[in-house]
Amino acid sequence: MRLILFVLFGMGALALAVALLAWLAERSLERAAEAAVFSDPAKLPDVEVALVLGTAPIGPEGGPNIYFVHRLDAAAALWRAGKVKYFIVSGSTGEPDAMRAGLVERGVPASAIYLDPKGFRTWDSVLRARDVYGQKRIVIVSQRFHLSRALFLARRAGLQAWGFEARDVETPYSVFTELRRFPSALRAYVDVWTGAPARTDGPRVAIGADPPS
């Protein structure tokens, strides 16, 4: 019985330690990104390419995913402000196609939109922007909680990066949606520390010279 209690206590202590580390990681990323995240396009430098991070176009209740809608609204605002010339829309499972369609609906020409269908994780999207699409300076578009992690990864990958903040969702879809940012922040540190492999396979693409896929 004592052994069982000892094991349970140890597991609880370990879970608490991991939760604390995840919270500290998320707070650290937020502080580090603060000076490089903007909600006003005028405050951003002129950068050739913006990386729009993917999320599912359909929300869990079956209607449009508001995170998705707000990200496309933000990307289109960058285009209208003349801050970028091209977009990489990065995601998986049909997300890039949906993002391109949404941006075209918002007035962005299809010729300015490059699809990255292998952005399975933020780490993949960032490294593919560097290694597949040849970028050294990018603006990343997403919600604030996502941008802090993406900017950390981009800078550790040697990119000059700024964040353009999409409007957040006032009422999150679930507790999971809100809480996942903490383990994701911890995983970002692990990815960098371990040099985790990313999906950077595929032909190289010269944005502005090669036609969009």
Side-chain angles (χ1 to χ4, degrees):
M1 184 65 178
R2 288 184 179 179
L3 179 59
I4 293 174
L5 290 175
F6 179 78
V7 171
L8 290 175
F9 177 80
M11 292 174 62
L14 179 61
L16 182 60
V18 170
L20 178 60
L21 281 174
W23 182 83
L24 290 172
E26 200 274 341
R27 293 294 90 197
S28 176
L29 295 184
E30 276 284 336
R31 289 192 297 271
E34 188 172 353
V37 175
F38 303 95
S39 56
D40 180 358
K43 295 181 179 180
L44 286 165
D46 293 331
V47 177
E48 184 118 321
V49 175
L51 171 64
V52 188
L53 297 174
T55 188
I58 304 299
E61 82 293 345
N65 183 346
I66 305 304
Y67 290 101
F68 178 90
V69 171
H70 289 341
R71 285 183 203 182
L72 296 189
D73 288 343
L78 275 183
W79 174 264
R80 289 193 296 270
K83 284 295 181 179
V84 297
K85 296 180 180 178
Y86 302 100
F87 292 99
I88 302 169
V89 291
S90 182
S92 61
T93 320
E95 291 171 0
D97 290 296
M99 285 192 282
R100 177 172 60 184
L103 286 175
V104 169
E105 288 177 359
R106 289 163 172 80
V108 179
S111 59
I113 306 167
Y114 287 77
L115 273 62
D116 173 20
K118 296 185 179 180
F120 298 98
R121 298 200 296 129
T122 306
W123 185 233
D124 294 325
S125 295
V126 166
L127 290 190
R128 287 180 62 79
R130 184 193 70 182
D131 296 340
V132 175
Y133 296 91
Q135 298 307 297
K136 297 179 180 178
R137 302 173 77 242
I138 55 172
V139 171
I140 302 176
V141 181
S142 190
Q143 276 75 23
R144 178 62 177 261
F145 70 87
H146 195 185
L147 285 175
S148 59
R149 174 163 37 102
L151 289 173
F152 167 77
L153 294 172
R155 288 172 174 176
R156 289 300 188 275
L159 294 168
Q160 283 186 286
W162 298 265
F164 187 56
E165 183 178 0
R167 181 181 169 189
D168 209 342
V169 175
E170 289 78 8
T171 304
Y173 293 118
S174 67
V175 173
F176 174 76
T177 302
E178 282 294 283
L179 294 182
R180 66 177 293 187
R181 69 185 66 183
F182 298 102
S184 295
L186 184 58
R187 186 173 184 181
Y189 278 101
V190 173
D191 284 339
V192 168
W193 291 338
T194 62
R199 298 171 175 86
T200 56
D201 56 302
R204 301 301 181 254
V205 178
I207 290 182
D210 294 335
S213 55

